[in-house]
Amino acid sequence: MLSIAWSTLRTRLVSFLGTFLALALGATLMAAMGQVLATTVDSPDRAPQRYAAAPYVVVPDERLHVDTWQGGQSQPLAERHGLTAELAARFPGAVVDRVFPAQVAGGQDAVGRPWSTSRTAPQRLIEGRAPRTSREIAVSAGALAGEKTSAGEKTSAGEKVSAGARVSVITRSGAKPYTVVGVTDGPPTVFFTDEQAARLSPRIDALALWTKPSGVPVLTGQDRALIDPNRESDERARNNANTIVGIAAGFAVFIAVFVVSSTFAFAVAQRRREFALLRTVGATRRQVRRMVYGEAGFVALAAAALGALAGPYAAGPMLDWLVGLGMAPAWLVPSAQTWPAATAFVTSVVVALAGVTVAARRAGRVHPAEAMREAAIEPRVMTWGRLLVGVGLFGAALVSMAVNALTDPQGAANNKSFMPVLMLLVAGVGLLAPAVVRPVARLFAVLLSRLRGAGATLVPAAAATSVRRTAATAAPVLVAVGLAAALLGAAAMTDTAKTAVQAAPVRADYLVLPEGSGGLDRQLVERLRAIRGVEVATTAPTSVYTLEGKAALIKRPTEAVDPARLRSVLDVPVIKGSLAQLDDGTIAVSETWELELGQTAKLWRADGSQVSLKVVALLAPNAPSDSYVTTAHAFSAPVTTAYVKLRPGTPAPDVESALRRSTQGHNARALTKDAWVSETGDRRGSASRLGLLVVLGIILAYTAIALVNILLMAASDRTAERASLRLLGATRGQVVRYVAGEALLVVAIGVVLAAAVAAISLAGLWSSLVQIAGPIAISVPWPAIGAVTAGCVVLALAAAVAPALRRA
């Protein structure tokens, strides 16, 4: 039977072309994505940056170490404590490094450091000289920003600031004027004299040495990169790349199985009489199944081999794309490992054989008597097995949505459960599609009955009598439109819900936010509090550490606040207790901490010091923070937000003017609450759409191949039918219009099925989000739906009309 399979494969190249392309694309993507995963996971860290020229670096142990009954555990400290002055005095030849926020007014996010550390990277002067007095600085070109011209464009840094210029520099204490005496290359840095840097930041962060010290732990070689400022952002970018590539790979496998199974199911339906003839001449059911498996195997082996070979070449452009989207570190180089290509080859073959399993079983069940059938009426299109599996998957999706809404709405908001439910829905509706084709076709027949001509009757009738063909052709449209609508709609709804949760407790009329990572300086905060007729409260994000079950050391985010001022600007949802009792000896925690009101919590603060705090309030899950402490428990945490609320009778225009004057020159901006909500939603939505670009690109590529392939396969069965229409007097143009109308109807049926998938999935997600954020609108991404539908229409018309023009 394998020789027969090879013979049939050679005579049905067009029928198997789409399956070959789908599998080859899948193997290529899996090999390329595996290569990207191998690159992000196994590639070495970036070479040391900040201390590249210093062979030895002494740094404090910035981790909290706790002994548990399972052994020692550690977590990185949220706030550094630095090295002691006594230790620094032991190494007189060391360069003492102090790293602290320092930003030129209107410039880029930067750090301040002593001038002596300029040789550790190194950063070289490109203009001017080194600072010598407390009011002189050297600034890297990257820390400067250009001034706006009359046309609204920014000049380059070099055109704006040069040696001799007077600038304002914002540090934690406030904004002060300095004279720029030198400009350096390298990352954004403001260099002060060593004495001025010590006054601005007494903490010693590192000692750089050129001779090996004794008696202290020291970092050498690649370990020096552990303290680079970009390490955390590099890890985030790596994790982003791993997440999005993993999701894309999952969808690639899912849609590959979908495409292969639908293509072979349609091919088996087309060849029932052929299989019956084989049974008549003595072929057993097992031999027929082996032939179908053989055809799939030949296609899969060739496609998988091509994809495995092409995958490594596609890894570079894919990684470049992720870098361009800001979802992978720019310095990564594609890995040269071979296991991704081998895994993609094996997976593609397994996917193909898994996708053809049901079709092979159906082919084996063909009865020899069917060889005598000449009628065009299809046999029963919904077998009991397909019906039961389809109903089971559909029911499982509904049950999962209900369980998520009742037990874990927060998980749905984080998209942990939405993707699996969506896949179940697509698979279930796809299997049940033949059962709804006839009712939907009849509905369109009623709508088309008002049109003139026989086409209005023939088009719906052909769709209703050829249910398998219609369902198989509508399936790619279902996948493309349904997943695009559901994924984009879910992302928009989730972003809206998160923004609503973030904004709901805010009672303030204005928010003052920093432009950079240094936070709001103390001078600015004092100016804000000096404005008449307003209440001002600030928050500083930090962390505390708890030991869960005496075994797991957990780092928990917290906000350091002034309790008296906080309650005037934030309406924090509290389940039990009151924030009015929050003081230096107490803490307010989320109910997820599983602590009781009045219980004493033993924890470690951000600098590693241990403290016991009494729980005075249990926060709701939608509270702005996981916990609250007073500012006495924060040390170097920057103030990231200042909430400003008008007192009764205070004119808003006066306050707006005062806010503009106060923030000027402090690299901060004041926003109304509405503007802040809008900006937060736009920023969150932009980040969500970037990840979906990768997933939707793969989905659309697969479905385009599947749609064109099935339409081309179906065209060969329609030759006699079109010839009959010509014999009955139909013109060539009428036949082409009839074919085009049928293609459009099939796309419309697919869009109806996709609408059902999107509506059910988004309604299920809404039922979870409404419990977290209150009433929100169900977002429908109409432009994206219209674009994807238009693409399906163009592909369907091209694939259906081209054969008709050639043969009509």
Side-chain angles (χ1 to χ4, degrees), residues 696-714:
L696 289 178
I698 292 172
I699 292 171
L700 296 179
Y702 269 116
T703 52
I705 292 172
L707 180 61
V708 172
N709 182 55
I710 292 178
L711 282 169
L712 291 176
M713 290 172 64

Side-chain angles (χ1 to χ4, degrees), residues 738-777:
Y738 162 69
V739 170
E742 190 175 358
L744 291 175
L745 178 60
V746 170
V747 172
I749 292 172
V751 171
V752 170
L753 297 176
V757 168
I760 294 171
S761 61
L762 294 180
L765 179 63
W766 180 87
S767 65
S768 295
L769 296 179
V770 74
Q771 300 180 59
I772 302 171
I776 61 172

